[in-house]
Amino acid sequence: MLTDKEKNIVKRLKSGQNADVAFQELVQLYKEPLYWHIRNMLKNHEDTHDVLQNTFIKVFKYIKNFKEESKLYSWMYRIATNESITFLNKKAKKLQISNQELQDHLIDNLESDVYYEGEKIQLALQKAVAQLPEKQRQVFNMKYFQELKYKEISEILDVTEGALKSNYHHAVKKIKDFLAKNQTFMD
């Protein structure tokens, strides 16, 4: 399941031989895809950067527990997903709002984010995605934005491929309905 490069990195991390160099290689290999995975969930560059750092800290701390039965990136994406969900839950609790209210707040702030360069249709899509239940939102983001295969998403979320296909289908339908009802976002 692991590529030769991943096997080499994991071996060095677990053994402690040149662990710092191996960790830098791991970061270089996965920082961009993990950044965008987290960013799709958090919508904010600074928060994404913080959660990405926490993700890599946990990867380094728990690499000895990695059983090498799944793909390395699936294991890392699972950590990133859990870190992102934990971050969002803490943020909602701190602001004393629901998770849905937090999603709405994140989308409202997206336009003012200096790192966001999207057009109106992209913002409308983000607003539609924010309305989805959490599981559908995760599946849609991974399938649509990150172009992951159902098998990969299944490993990351520990959900059957059939359930993922159903979640994605329902998410797409809800997004289409939202965009049809809210065409003013695109004008």
Side-chain angles (χ1 to χ4, degrees), residues 37-43 47-48 51-52 54-55 58 77-93 98-99 102-103 106 133-139 141-142 156-157 159:
H37 173 66
I38 295 166
R39 179 71 187 261
N40 276 328
M41 295 177 74
L42 305 186
K43 309 293 183 229
D47 292 344
T48 298
V51 171
L52 181 62
N54 290 343
T55 298
K58 285 216 170 157
Y77 268 60
R78 192 173 313 124
I79 292 170
T81 299
N82 291 338
E83 285 295 303
S84 298
I85 291 168
T86 299
F87 178 86
L88 290 170
N89 289 338
K90 284 180 181 176
K91 190 168 189 165
K93 188 174 181 177
S98 71
N99 285 349
L102 178 60
Q103 285 298 315
L106 294 173
E134 185 175 320
K135 187 63 75 177
Q136 289 178 10
R137 187 170 50 241
Q138 287 176 348
V139 172
N141 281 335
M142 289 184 204
I156 293 164
L157 297 179
V159 176

Side-chain angles (χ1 to χ4, degrees), residues 28-143:
Q28 286 303 313
L29 199 57
Y30 289 107
K31 72 179 178 184
E32 188 172 342
L34 284 174
Y35 172 88
W36 288 109
H37 173 66
I38 295 166
R39 179 71 187 261
N40 276 328
M41 295 177 74
L42 305 186
K43 309 293 183 229
N44 175 284
H45 174 72
E46 285 79 19
D47 292 344
T48 298
H49 185 70
D50 292 344
V51 171
L52 181 62
Q53 282 186 322
N54 290 343
T55 298
F56 279 116
I57 288 168
K58 285 216 170 157
V59 166
F60 187 77
K61 185 176 179 181
Y62 295 108
I63 193 71
K64 287 179 172 48
N65 299 340
F66 176 56
K67 295 181 177 106
E68 301 179 42
E69 295 169 356
S70 65
K71 293 183 178 178
L72 180 60
Y73 78 84
S74 297
W75 182 73
M76 292 174 61
Y77 268 60
R78 192 173 313 124
I79 292 170
T81 299
N82 291 338
E83 285 295 303
S84 298
I85 291 168
T86 299
F87 178 86
L88 290 170
N89 289 338
K90 284 180 181 176
K91 190 168 189 165
K93 188 174 181 177
K94 182 180 175 185
L95 296 173
Q96 297 180 336
I97 58 177
S98 71
N99 285 349
Q100 185 57 54
E101 289 171 317
L102 178 60
Q103 285 298 315
D104 295 340
H105 175 72
L106 294 173
I107 295 299
D108 290 343
N109 290 335
L110 192 56
E111 276 186 293
S112 62
D113 186 339
V114 294
Y115 296 98
Y116 181 74
E117 299 175 350
E119 298 181 15
K120 287 184 180 181
I121 185 67
Q122 291 165 316
L123 187 60
L125 176 60
Q126 290 293 335
K127 289 182 182 197
V129 171
Q131 303 305 310
L132 296 172
E134 185 175 320
K135 187 63 75 177
Q136 289 178 10
R137 187 170 50 241
Q138 287 176 348
V139 172
F140 184 83
N141 281 335
M142 289 184 204
K143 181 76 177 140

Side-chain angles (χ1 to χ4, degrees), residues 154-165:
S154 174
E155 289 177 6
I156 293 164
L157 297 179
D158 198 25
V159 176
T160 67
E161 288 183 50
L164 293 174
K165 289 176 183 178

